[in-house]
């Protein structure tokens, strides 16, 4: 069966023949480009793009497609004694990426923050025979079925002694962040878009739609902050390159939530 990939968001679909609209782009949180819906295939994508690698800190590497494709997020490869975890996903899985990950020991799990980064997760899972952990609250947004998908419903899901998925909500009902102890034990948050690192890397923000600039309510942001509060971390790595908070991450999230809530409340007075 032909796999089609949405050029605007990177989501993959099975049935190419009758596909007109990408459900992820048609959602109020994304957008269909003014030039209209366009599609590519994994093969075409690999002809004009490649993946680059960057070590963010010991045990953590970023994988990013160049030139930029679709939303242009990065995937993160977390290396732990219990196996490698792919955090978030990108559409391009080329032969070089497969060979590099195989050489690093393959994948023991894939975990994704929210539907904008589901992309071609089904193909990554099949290539590395690895389960995909998705929060059940976002089940409706899976656009291609896969036997590798495992839905979870708890507030947190322990993947290993060092890695836990935490349900944050906010941007999506099932919005998930990954908490890792880090090799130094100081704690690391892999944030996706659930906690969005700001350009100064000294704050984060929280939105329902980033491209369409639609906010979350004060209550929703308070809820995300409360869900993350029990987890200690120094560093935060967001979905995009340069979204790297190097210290005081937990304090930054708490302060940023208070700043956001104060701002929203001052507007509604
Ligand atoms: Zn799309
Ligand atoms: Zn998003």
């Amino acid at each position: 069966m032909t796999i089609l990939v949405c050029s605007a968001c990177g989501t993959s679909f099975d049935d190419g023949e009758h596909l007109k609209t990408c459900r992820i782009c048609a959602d109020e949180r994304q957008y269909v480009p003014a030039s209209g819906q366009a599609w590519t295939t994994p093969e075409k994508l690999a002809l004009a793009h490649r993946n680059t690698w960057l070590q963010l800190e010991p045990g953590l590497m970023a994988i990013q497609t160049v030139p930029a494709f679709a939303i242009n997020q990065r995937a993160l490869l977390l290396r732990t004694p219990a196996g490698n975890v792919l955090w978030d996903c990108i559409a391009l899985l080329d032969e070089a990426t497969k060979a590099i990950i195989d050489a690093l020991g393959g994948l023991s799990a894939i975990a994704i923050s929210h539907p904008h980064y589901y992309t071609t997760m089904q193909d990554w899972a099949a290539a590395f025979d690895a389960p995909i952990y998705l929060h059940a609250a976002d089940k409706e947004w899976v656009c291609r079925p896969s036997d590798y998908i495992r839905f979870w419903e708890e507030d947190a899901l322990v993947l290993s002694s060092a890695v836990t998925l935490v349900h944050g909500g906010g941007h999506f009902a099932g919005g998930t962040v990954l908490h890792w102890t880090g090799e130094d034990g100081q704690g690391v948050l892999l944030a996706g878009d659930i906690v969005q690192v700001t350009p100064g890397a000294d704050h984060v923000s929280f939105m329902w739609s980033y491209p369409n600039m639609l906010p979350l309510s004060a209550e929703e942001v308070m809820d995300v902050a409360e869900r993350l509060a029990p987890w200690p971390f120094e560093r935060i790595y967001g979905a995009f390159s340069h979204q790297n908070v190097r210290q005081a991450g937990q304090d930054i999230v708490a302060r940023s939530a208070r700043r956001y809530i104060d701002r929203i409340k001052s507007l509604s007075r």
Side-chain angles (χ1 to χ4, degrees):
M1 192 180 296
T2 309
I3 293 167
L4 284 193
V5 176
C6 171
S7 298
C9 76
T11 302
S12 62
F13 293 81
D14 268 332
D15 183 8
E17 290 294 310
H18 308 290
L19 202 59
K20 292 274 190 323
T21 307
C22 165
R23 287 206 281 126
I24 299 290
C25 285
D27 175 45
E28 292 279 6
R29 276 164 286 204
Q30 274 298 118
Y31 60 94
V32 175
S35 55
Q37 193 84 68
W39 304 94
T40 186
T41 65
E43 295 75 24
K44 281 187 199 160
L45 186 59
L47 284 176
H49 296 78
R50 63 191 168 84
N51 286 334
T52 61
W53 291 74
L54 176 70
Q55 178 150 312
L56 295 168
E57 64 171 86
L60 186 66
M61 289 199 262
I63 313 169
Q64 184 127 32
T65 301
V66 292
F69 175 71
I71 297 174
N72 194 31
Q73 77 276 13
R74 57 188 178 181
L76 301 179
L77 185 72
L78 180 55
R79 306 190 64 204
T80 79
N84 296 330
V85 178
L86 184 77
W87 168 248
D88 281 337
C89 201
I90 53 177
L92 177 62
L93 175 59
D94 61 6
E95 292 305 317
T97 307
K98 279 184 204 165
I100 292 168
I101 293 177
D102 276 336
L104 293 172
L107 296 179
S108 61
I110 298 170
I112 304 186
S113 59
H114 70 297
H116 290 152
Y117 305 148
Y118 287 175
T119 60
T120 58
M121 60 179 177
Q122 300 86 349
D123 304 319
W124 289 71
F128 299 105
D129 194 26
I132 308 167
Y133 294 98
L134 304 179
H135 198 276
D138 291 336
K139 204 174 203 168
E140 64 180 299
W141 297 106
V142 174
C143 296
R144 269 172 78 202
S146 165
D147 291 340
Y148 286 98
I149 297 173
R150 311 271 183 275
F151 291 108
W152 59 284
E153 298 182 340
E154 301 81 1
D155 288 339
L157 179 73
V158 175
L159 292 188
S160 70
S161 58
V163 178
T164 305
L165 303 180
V166 180
H167 180 214
H171 179 45
F172 268 80
T176 298
V177 295
L178 184 152
H179 183 270
W180 172 42
T181 55
E183 289 195 359
D184 62 0
Q186 298 214 322
V188 175
L189 189 79
L190 308 187
D193 286 356
I194 307 312
V195 170
Q196 185 85 244
V197 177
T198 57
D202 58 347
H203 282 88
V204 298
S205 196
F206 316 82
M207 296 282 270
W208 189 71
S209 168
Y210 295 97
N212 299 328
M213 295 176 272
L214 297 168
L216 289 165
S217 68
E219 289 71 22
E220 288 168 318
V221 170
M222 210 176 296
D223 190 47
V224 175
E226 281 172 7
R227 286 170 175 277
L228 269 53
W231 300 90
F233 52 89
E234 281 291 310
R235 280 98 63 196
I236 307 173
Y237 297 102
F240 301 97
S241 60
H242 310 298
Q243 289 192 327
N244 308 319
V245 172
R246 297 296 184 179
Q247 57 186 3
Q250 188 175 22
D251 183 48
I252 283 174
V253 169
R255 274 195 288 118
S256 300
R258 280 198 298 277
R259 178 171 87 155
Y260 184 109
I261 291 161
D262 286 349
R263 182 72 192 142
I264 288 273
K265 287 188 172 162
S266 77
L267 293 175
S268 59
R269 259 178 219 135

